[in-house]
Amino acid sequence: MKILFNKPYKSGNELKYIADSIESGKISGDGIYTKKCHDFLENKFGYNKALLTTSCTDALEMAAILIDVKPGDEVIMPSYTFVSTANAFVLRGAKLVFADSKKDHPGIDEEAIETLITSKTKAIVPVHYAGVACDMDKIMELAKNYDLFVIEDAAQAIDSYYLGKDGLKKPLGSIGHLAAFSFHETKNIISGEGGMLVVNDEKFLKRAEIIREKGTNRSAFFRGEIDKYGWVDVGSSFLPSDIIAAYLYAQLESLEFIQDRRKSIWNRYDNAFRGVLDSKHDITLPFIPSHATNNAHMYYLVCSSIDERKKLLAYLKSNGILAVFHYLSLHESKFFNGKHEGLNLKESDRYTNCLVRLPLFVELGEQEQDFIIKHINEFYKKK
Amino acid sequence: MKILFNKPYKSGNELKYIADSIESGKISGDGIYTKKCHDFLENKFGYNKALLTTSCTDALEMAAILIDVKPGDEVIMPSYTFVSTANAFVLRGAKLVFADSKKDHPGIDEEAIETLITSKTKAIVPVHYAGVACDMDKIMELAKNYDLFVIEDAAQAIDSYYLGKDGLKKPLGSIGHLAAFSFHETKNIISGEGGMLVVNDEKFLKRAEIIREKGTNRSAFFRGEIDKYGWVDVGSSFLPSDIIAAYLYAQLESLEFIQDRRKSIWNRYDNAFRGVLDSKHDITLPFIPSHATNNAHMYYLVCSSIDERKKLLAYLKSNGILAVFHYLSLHESKFFNGKHEGLNLKESDRYTNCLVRLPLFVELGEQEQDFIIKHINEFYKKK
């Protein structure tokens, strides 16, 4: 048996919608399917404004431009995250201030944030790791008290929710001033490469459109609000082709099915491992805090050592199972490790060394999953 | 009759290749069709390295990062160009130094460049307007003498050539240190949104891969050159989905057919107007200098005044023909006009005010074209 780590899902309507987009005569950005995706996402998740982008990276870059990050501004984020969370702000000259992860979850340690705030802090970028919500009440309160922007890195967090102190269930990405999502083929909802900027704070709406349209007021022009358009701001080409949006729309229509399948696979892993692996071995299983829902983006184990992980990955691989590790602490990277003195982020390094992601995709069959579970259990029995 | 300004071309194989890309199980960047496009483009045009990007804008941004543009560095470019030529460098903190266009062509006035070079000049960005080559011998010589980089903005210049003093016919985009192409749906070869960075200078090859992969050495990792990859540089997500590359590949296969059709339409306009409109009226027709070939990207007329253009566009529109103007001098834009004192670029302003682009696309029929020609002639007879 050969089990891939991920297999991009097809709902069956992707090609039909792509053909339709091509037939529409407009396959550049903001065509008919882009509009359909925007409408779907705004209606389903109550975002003030959804804007498709070519990637989550690009959505983060838009956010960095929108909040006007200037050289020397400080931005707080976890070290255990994808490089794009960091690069988007480095490209604007920001100084990165890395926080550690929590002991029970790879997400940013909310308790550590306040100690990192200085007069130069401009923004906090919580990353909803594995689609599991950070404590947004706490983060938004800090932002309010210190007058900071919050940009949710919701790359993995589609269809996941935060349960606030006010008793409301809020979709991730709808809480911060801005939020960035990914539709990369490794995510729950995909378009190959792709992303979305969510604009929640009204004051960014107009400028977001401009920055996404290469710094021109073209969108206002096409709505008939102005009589010619031109260069009014910095910007880039953040619009994906409508072909990408057509693929995405087919996925969004299948959101419920996809999520049901993923949750069922996630629960099956969890039922097999919880109370078994974590009680007999020094293994951390995924933790969903009471303020969060589970969008089943990822099932992971945190091994007790890098050596144990290495052996586990090799054992699974030798049995045809592709499990993979994840991020490397950004503060320890070649790019950044000369830029700090002795920053010690223990939990971030632990996830760097010990976290293993298991195959989780819609078409993963029960037999395949049993095969994976059996081999992980076997590995630990032999230990 | 209703005649659009542009109609995106379909070769017929686009959907088939997209389906094939989807079936391959990898629709993120650098999949099988991205590789096919890279190979095709490098073989056909002899580029050292072709790298697909999500847009020409993004290719220009990559170039600006690659040549390490720093705040205060000066970059010389024409004012009569698309905003992305400028924004890509503004985002890195560059000071833009705008040159005028030529009297006989909207491209940069090569004679003006040397007077604009200072000790802070970092790069020259010639834009091959309408796919017509700038005088690259002159520009490359300046670059050599003053130790500058040349980034060809070849957005419109696919399959167009420069005839050098050495007697060689060089594809545009293969001459500067770097070059950026567009595959936006308005171009000769399209993928909806899309672009390409061409890396000619060997010294940029390794870093170009890294910057395109979010600042990581992931490409080297997948080639087995290093045993793990991480954050080593700034970067962004410049890779288009393989779905976009699949569309593009179908177009590239039809390059010869597309170019033959476009050239035939271009020549038909030219035969109808040359010696007629330009001799009896104060109209400038497209000029192809002896050092350039014609890739038939665009057929345009330059009217004698903004008022004449306004009336011509309205007259054509009232007859169902969508002709359009083009760039607005960037030095006169809202974004830039507070950043200079009395910069006077007369030719750039003339093209801004007077240039009209005529419908030109593969499926434009002879009857339709006759209809356009007839109405333009009628407009000028009535004048």
Side-chain angles (χ1 to χ4, degrees):
Chain A
M1 208 179 284
K2 276 270 175 206
I3 306 177
L4 297 172
F5 171 66
N6 179 53
K7 193 176 163 196
Y9 176 67
K10 304 180 286 277
S11 77
N13 282 329
E14 284 82 358
L15 269 180
K16 196 174 99 185
Y17 294 164
I18 288 173
D20 192 35
S21 172
I22 293 172
E23 284 311 312
S24 79
K26 180 171 159 56
I27 55 169
S28 58
D30 282 342
I32 51 174
Y33 280 94
T34 306
K35 178 85 172 63
K36 276 176 192 277
C37 289
H38 288 172
D39 289 348
F40 181 99
L41 289 155
E42 287 166 11
N43 291 335
K44 171 83 184 166
F45 299 114
Y47 309 137
N48 194 352
K49 184 77 203 144
L51 292 168
L52 295 193
T53 57
T54 51
S55 63
C56 184
T57 304
D58 276 37
L60 288 163
E61 288 177 14
M62 272 188 76
I65 295 173
L66 275 170
I67 65 165
D68 256 331
V69 172
K70 298 262 182 275
D73 286 348
E74 294 178 6
V75 179
I76 299 170
M77 61 181 62
S79 175
Y80 193 70
T81 185
F82 190 53
V83 283
S84 291
T85 319
N87 266 329
F89 297 93
V90 171
L91 281 169
R92 313 285 350 114
K95 181 186 165 196
L96 303 183
V97 178
F98 288 120
D100 206 355
S101 300
K102 282 166 287 204
K103 203 169 162 48
D104 58 11
H105 190 269
I108 192 167
D109 180 2
E110 294 88 355
E111 301 301 330
I113 296 175
E114 191 163 10
T115 64
L116 301 173
I117 295 173
T118 74
S119 62
K120 289 186 180 165
T121 306
K122 182 99 182 188
I124 305 168
V125 187
V127 181
H128 302 303
Y129 186 82
V132 176
C134 298
D135 188 341
M136 292 307 292
D137 278 343
K138 199 168 279 172
I139 290 169
M140 293 310 290
E141 202 184 317
L142 283 173
K144 202 178 154 191
N145 292 345
Y146 291 93
D147 196 20
L148 308 174
F149 293 113
V150 174
I151 298 163
E152 294 176 75
D153 184 335
Q156 308 171 4
I158 194 88
D159 197 36
S160 200
Y161 298 81
Y162 176 69
L163 310 165
K165 279 185 283 192
D166 57 9
L168 296 175
K169 190 178 159 187
K170 295 168 191 136
L172 296 189
S174 71
I175 305 165
H177 301 85
L178 299 158
F181 284 85
S182 172
F183 302 119
H184 186 264
E185 69 175 14
T186 49
K187 303 303 185 293
N188 293 25
I189 298 292
I190 67 171
S191 62
E193 303 278 344
M196 162 173 67
L197 180 76
V198 169
V199 183
N200 295 311
D201 190 321
E202 199 71 22
K203 72 167 167 287
F204 293 121
L205 274 182
K206 202 174 151 194
R207 195 165 173 236
E209 268 188 359
I210 288 170
I211 286 168
R212 184 162 167 270
E213 270 286 14
K214 299 120 190 149
T216 71
N217 45 6
R218 190 167 178 268
S219 299
F221 172 76
F222 279 110
R223 283 196 303 268
E225 295 165 16
I226 48 175
D227 64 356
K228 71 177 182 176
Y229 76 89
W231 191 24
V232 296
D233 207 331
V234 293
S236 181
S237 187
F238 290 114
L239 297 81
S241 162
D242 203 57
I243 293 172
I244 294 296
Y247 193 104
L248 184 64
Y249 190 66
Q251 297 267 315
L252 289 172
E253 279 188 338
S254 301
L255 177 68
E256 211 167 319
F257 169 76
I258 292 170
Q259 292 298 82
D260 284 352
R261 267 304 293 147
R262 294 189 74 103
K263 283 175 193 169
S264 141
I265 295 166
W266 197 98
N267 288 329
R268 220 153 166 277
Y269 275 133
D270 207 54
N271 291 336
F273 296 139
R274 199 161 302 263
V276 181
L277 285 190
D278 52 341
S279 63
K280 294 187 193 147
H281 306 275
D282 188 14
I283 284 180
T284 313
L285 296 177
F287 172 66
I288 315 285
S290 60
H291 67 242
T293 64
N294 176 22
N295 75 341
H297 172 61
M298 188 194 300
Y299 199 88
Y300 62 86
L301 315 173
V302 188
C303 301
S304 64
S305 70
I306 190 165
D307 186 57
E308 178 184 316
R309 180 176 76 174
K310 199 173 162 188
K311 286 179 182 149
L312 174 60
L313 290 177
Y315 180 75
L316 293 175
K317 199 174 173 190
S318 71
N319 284 285
I321 299 163
L322 197 58
V324 295
F325 57 85
H326 208 189
Y327 307 136
L328 308 182
S329 287
L330 293 181
H331 73 288
E332 297 285 14
S333 66
K334 191 176 162 197
F335 183 72
F336 198 80
N337 68 5
K339 295 184 172 67
H340 68 86
E341 279 174 28
L343 189 58
N344 184 11
L345 305 174
K346 193 171 80 155
E347 297 304 329
S348 177
D349 291 344
R350 185 168 67 96
Y351 296 115
T352 296
N353 293 329
C354 305
L355 189 142
V356 171
R357 294 180 288 163
L358 303 184
L360 200 174
F361 49 88
V362 170
E363 291 171 66
L364 184 70
E366 294 205 347
Q367 258 195 311
E368 291 173 303
Q369 202 181 358
D370 287 342
F371 186 80
I372 300 165
I373 291 167
K374 190 186 86 175
H375 280 90
I376 290 172
N377 283 330
E378 268 177 20
F379 174 83
Y380 279 102
K381 260 178 218 149
K382 286 180 192 160
K383 261 199 72 187
Chain B
M1 208 180 284
K2 276 272 176 203
I3 306 177
L4 296 172
F5 170 66
N6 179 54
K7 195 177 164 196
Y9 175 67
K10 303 180 286 278
S11 77
N13 281 329
E14 284 82 358
L15 270 181
K16 195 173 101 185
Y17 293 163
I18 288 174
D20 192 34
S21 173
I22 294 172
E23 284 312 311
S24 80
K26 182 171 159 52
I27 55 170
S28 57
D30 282 343
I32 51 175
Y33 280 94
T34 305
K35 178 87 173 62
K36 277 176 191 276
C37 289
H38 288 172
D39 289 348
F40 181 101
L41 288 156
E42 287 166 11
N43 291 334
K44 170 83 185 166
F45 299 113
Y47 308 138
N48 194 352
K49 184 77 200 142
L51 293 168
L52 295 193
T53 57
T54 51
S55 62
C56 185
T57 304
D58 276 36
L60 288 163
E61 288 177 15
M62 272 188 76
I65 295 173
L66 276 170
I67 65 164
D68 256 330
V69 172
K70 297 263 182 273
D73 286 349
E74 294 179 6
V75 179
I76 299 170
M77 61 181 62
S79 175
Y80 192 71
T81 184
F82 190 53
V83 283
S84 291
T85 319
N87 266 328
F89 297 92
V90 171
L91 281 170
R92 313 284 352 114
K95 182 187 165 196
L96 304 182
V97 178
F98 288 120
D100 205 356
S101 298
K102 282 167 288 205
K103 203 170 160 49
D104 57 13
H105 189 270
I108 193 167
D109 181 2
E110 294 89 354
E111 301 300 329
I113 296 174
E114 191 162 11
T115 64
L116 301 173
I117 295 173
T118 74
S119 61
K120 291 186 178 165
T121 307
K122 181 97 182 189
I124 305 168
V125 187
V127 181
H128 302 303
Y129 187 82
V132 176
C134 298
D135 188 341
M136 292 308 292
D137 279 343
K138 197 167 281 173
I139 291 169
M140 293 311 289
E141 201 184 317
L142 282 173
K144 201 179 157 195
N145 291 345
Y146 291 93
D147 196 20
L148 308 175
F149 293 113
V150 174
I151 297 164
E152 294 178 75
D153 183 336
Q156 309 170 4
I158 193 88
D159 197 36
S160 199
Y161 298 81
Y162 176 70
L163 312 165
K165 277 184 287 193
D166 56 10
L168 296 175
K169 189 177 158 186
K170 296 169 191 135
L172 297 189
S174 72
I175 306 165
H177 302 86
L178 299 159
F181 284 85
S182 172
F183 302 120
H184 186 265
E185 69 174 14
T186 48
K187 303 304 185 292
N188 292 26
I189 298 293
I190 67 171
S191 62
E193 303 277 345
M196 164 174 64
L197 180 77
V198 169
V199 183
N200 296 311
D201 190 322
E202 198 71 21
K203 72 167 167 286
F204 292 121
L205 273 183
K206 202 174 150 195
R207 195 166 175 237
E209 268 188 359
I210 287 171
I211 285 167
R212 184 163 167 269
E213 270 285 14
K214 299 120 188 150
T216 71
N217 45 7
R218 190 168 178 268
S219 299
F221 173 77
F222 280 110
R223 283 196 303 268
E225 296 167 14
I226 49 176
D227 64 357
K228 70 178 181 176
Y229 74 89
W231 190 25
V232 296
D233 206 332
V234 293
S236 182
S237 187
F238 291 115
L239 297 81
S241 162
D242 203 56
I243 293 172
I244 294 297
Y247 193 104
L248 184 65
Y249 190 66
Q251 297 267 315
L252 289 172
E253 280 188 338
S254 302
L255 178 68
E256 210 167 319
F257 169 76
I258 292 170
Q259 292 297 80
D260 284 352
R261 267 304 293 146
R262 294 189 74 104
K263 283 176 193 168
S264 139
I265 295 167
W266 197 99
N267 288 329
R268 218 154 167 275
Y269 275 133
D270 207 54
N271 291 337
F273 296 139
R274 199 162 302 264
V276 182
L277 285 190
D278 52 340
S279 63
K280 292 187 196 149
H281 305 275
D282 186 14
I283 284 179
T284 313
L285 296 177
F287 172 67
I288 316 285
S290 59
H291 66 243
T293 65
N294 176 22
N295 74 341
H297 172 62
M298 188 196 300
Y299 200 90
Y300 61 84
L301 315 173
V302 188
C303 300
S304 64
S305 71
I306 191 166
D307 185 58
E308 178 184 316
R309 180 176 75 175
K310 199 172 162 188
K311 284 179 184 149
L312 174 60
L313 290 178
Y315 180 75
L316 293 175
K317 197 173 176 193
S318 71
N319 285 285
I321 300 162
L322 197 59
V324 295
F325 56 85
H326 208 189
Y327 305 136
L328 308 182
S329 287
L330 292 181
H331 73 289
E332 296 285 14
S333 66
K334 192 176 161 196
F335 183 73
F336 197 82
N337 68 5
K339 295 182 172 68
H340 69 87
E341 280 175 28
L343 190 57
N344 184 10
L345 305 173
K346 193 170 81 160
E347 297 304 330
S348 178
D349 291 344
R350 184 168 68 96
Y351 296 114
T352 296
N353 292 329
C354 305
L355 189 143
V356 172
R357 293 181 290 162
L358 303 184
L360 201 174
F361 48 89
V362 170
E363 291 172 66
L364 184 71
E366 293 205 349
Q367 255 195 314
E368 291 173 304
Q369 202 182 359
D370 287 342
F371 185 81
I372 299 165
I373 292 166
K374 189 186 88 175
H375 281 90
I376 289 173
N377 283 330
E378 268 178 18
F379 174 83
Y380 279 102
K381 261 179 216 149
K382 283 180 193 163
K383 261 197 72 184

